[in-house]
Amino acid sequence: MSHSHNHSHNSKDLKGQKLLISILLNIVITVAQVIGGFVSGSLSLLSDALHNFSDVISLIVSYVAAKLSKQKASIDRTFGYKRAEILAAFINASTLIIVAIILIFEAVKRFKNPQEIESGLVIWLAIVAIIGNGLSVLLLRKDAKNNINMRSAYLHLLTDMLASVAVLIGGLLMKYYQLFWVDSLLTLLIALYLIWVGYDLLKTSTKMLMLFTPDNINIKAVVRTVNKLPKVSKLHHVHIWNLSDDELHLEAHLDLKEDISTTEFNDLLLDIETVLHDEFNINHVTIQPEFNKEDPKEVIVQD
């Protein structure tokens, strides 16, 4: 058996700081909106506050996961907590969908029974929330592109910012046109968007948790590439999975054409690692070399 590691360790502490700032901003917004919601009687403000509160929770989950994922591996935890971030994304996607369902119920209830709302306060608090969430969204934007945990936190904040924009529009329409039903309609639209975004994130994180082959990897192409190398007869019994967002593992048996020495195998292994890294971005390779061994030679073996 042999192993290879190609890692890129970048400064991830910045990620934690950005999350902390976002957590503090969101706590301020939540408190302001809860008070404002009760004072003004605006359900869209209260539902926005609920959404903001779910942001605080999801940001804390992301923050803890980001911190945990940096912990070193140990005897009891040989992978460390590298999968914590995938778990965090799964939790956050689930809460996005739950919040959306609650919002839909609220919106329908109030659509049937519109209430007069103190719109001035709603407008000001919506502006505060847009600025606060806007800052958090900008902070996390870059990290959201290449990390599923940060993406889940970012989506919570982005949808929240949209919700606040909707609340603002609703507030203005209520103030100048007395259109109180707009509040409900906007709440409903935001909720539907949340479900759409949340579902996608839930699907991605579930695939990772189930160790499914990543969407961008074609196992047959991987096998064909390795089989072209000299002395290789067949790569089989293949597993490819994402341990975390930036770690892609391959484990397989390698049937050899000749009974080569371990030193020769080391050279061959280096070639395999290089080609897998360059062509498929696989950065962890574990290969079991075999020669004339009686075992199933299918690419995918049913255990």
Side-chain angles (χ1 to χ4, degrees):
M1 287 278 187
S2 92
H3 241 73
S4 87
H5 298 256
N6 305 346
H7 277 316
S8 54
H9 286 295
N10 45 7
S11 66
K12 287 187 179 161
D13 287 338
L14 211 61
K15 204 162 74 173
Q17 283 170 352
K18 289 176 182 174
L19 283 169
L20 266 182
I21 296 166
S22 303
I23 289 169
L24 294 171
L25 280 170
N26 267 277
I27 289 173
V28 172
I29 297 168
T30 306
V31 173
Q33 284 185 327
V34 169
I35 297 166
F38 280 118
V39 172
S40 68
S42 163
L43 214 147
S44 70
L45 250 190
L46 278 174
S47 65
D48 206 22
L50 170 75
H51 193 162
N52 260 310
F53 180 64
S54 82
D55 276 357
V56 174
I57 303 289
S58 78
L59 285 165
I60 291 170
V61 169
S62 290
Y63 178 72
V64 172
K67 278 265 175 272
L68 279 176
S69 69
K70 289 206 294 283
Q71 289 205 358
K72 295 199 162 47
S74 66
I75 297 280
D76 293 333
R77 290 179 276 273
T78 56
F79 284 113
Y81 284 92
K82 284 186 178 153
R83 313 209 82 206
E85 294 202 283
I86 304 171
L87 203 53
F90 179 83
I91 294 166
N92 286 342
S94 313
T95 54
L96 266 179
I97 293 169
I98 293 163
V99 168
I101 292 165
I102 295 169
L103 290 186
I104 289 171
F105 276 111
E106 292 300 333
V108 170
K109 212 157 64 185
R110 197 149 35 121
F111 201 69
K112 292 177 180 161
N113 176 19
Q115 277 147 14
E116 194 147 326
I117 291 158
E118 173 52 56
S119 52
L121 193 58
V122 173
I123 291 166
W124 282 112
L125 280 170
I127 291 170
V128 169
I130 291 166
I131 295 167
N133 281 318
L135 285 172
S136 303
V137 164
L138 290 173
L139 270 177
L140 303 188
R141 197 164 155 208
K142 206 171 105 242
D143 296 308
K145 286 194 178 77
N146 45 25
N147 181 293
I148 192 169
N149 179 26
M150 296 300 273
R151 191 155 62 249
S152 73
Y154 172 78
L155 285 172
H156 261 272
L157 292 166
L158 180 67
T159 51
D160 217 356
M161 191 174 101
L162 292 175
S164 302
V165 169
V167 172
L168 176 63
I169 294 168
L172 291 168
L173 288 171
M174 287 187 281
K175 190 179 168 91
Y176 296 108
Y177 299 103
Q178 271 65 55
L179 293 174
F180 292 112
W181 56 268
V182 173
D183 202 50
S184 315
L185 180 67
L186 292 172
T187 307
L188 193 67
L189 291 175
I190 293 157
L192 292 173
Y193 177 70
L194 279 185
I195 289 175
W196 181 58
V197 178
Y199 173 72
D200 189 52
L201 195 59
L202 199 60
K203 204 170 75 179
T204 312
S205 52
T206 303
K207 281 180 177 173
M208 281 188 171
L209 287 173
M210 297 293 293
L211 302 182
F212 287 177
T213 307
D215 291 340
N216 58 337
I217 296 280
N218 176 347
I219 287 198
K220 287 178 177 160
V222 172
V223 171
R224 272 198 303 273
T225 306
V226 174
N227 289 354
K228 279 183 199 148
L229 293 170
K231 302 188 179 113
V232 171
S233 167
K234 188 171 194 245
L235 189 75
H236 60 283
H237 207 140
V238 179
H239 295 285
I240 300 178
W241 74 95
N242 270 112
L243 176 71
S244 63
D245 253 348
D246 43 11
E247 281 192 38
L248 188 53
H249 286 234
L250 171 138
E251 120 187 337
H253 295 198
L254 185 71
D255 204 31
L256 296 162
K257 286 178 181 164
E258 309 161 26
D259 197 355
I260 62 175
S261 70
T262 315
T263 316
E264 285 174 284
F265 173 67
N266 286 347
D267 296 338
L268 172 60
L269 185 64
L270 195 61
D271 293 343
I272 294 174
E273 285 165 2
T274 309
V275 73
L276 289 178
H277 187 263
D278 295 349
E279 289 192 30
F280 303 99
N281 234 350
I282 295 171
N283 46 16
H284 267 246
V285 178
T286 308
I287 299 270
Q288 176 175 313
E290 298 173 346
F291 177 69
N292 279 347
K293 183 173 187 276
E294 289 298 315
D295 74 343
K297 300 293 180 202
E298 295 88 10
V299 170
I300 307 296
V301 173
Q302 307 300 336
D303 290 328

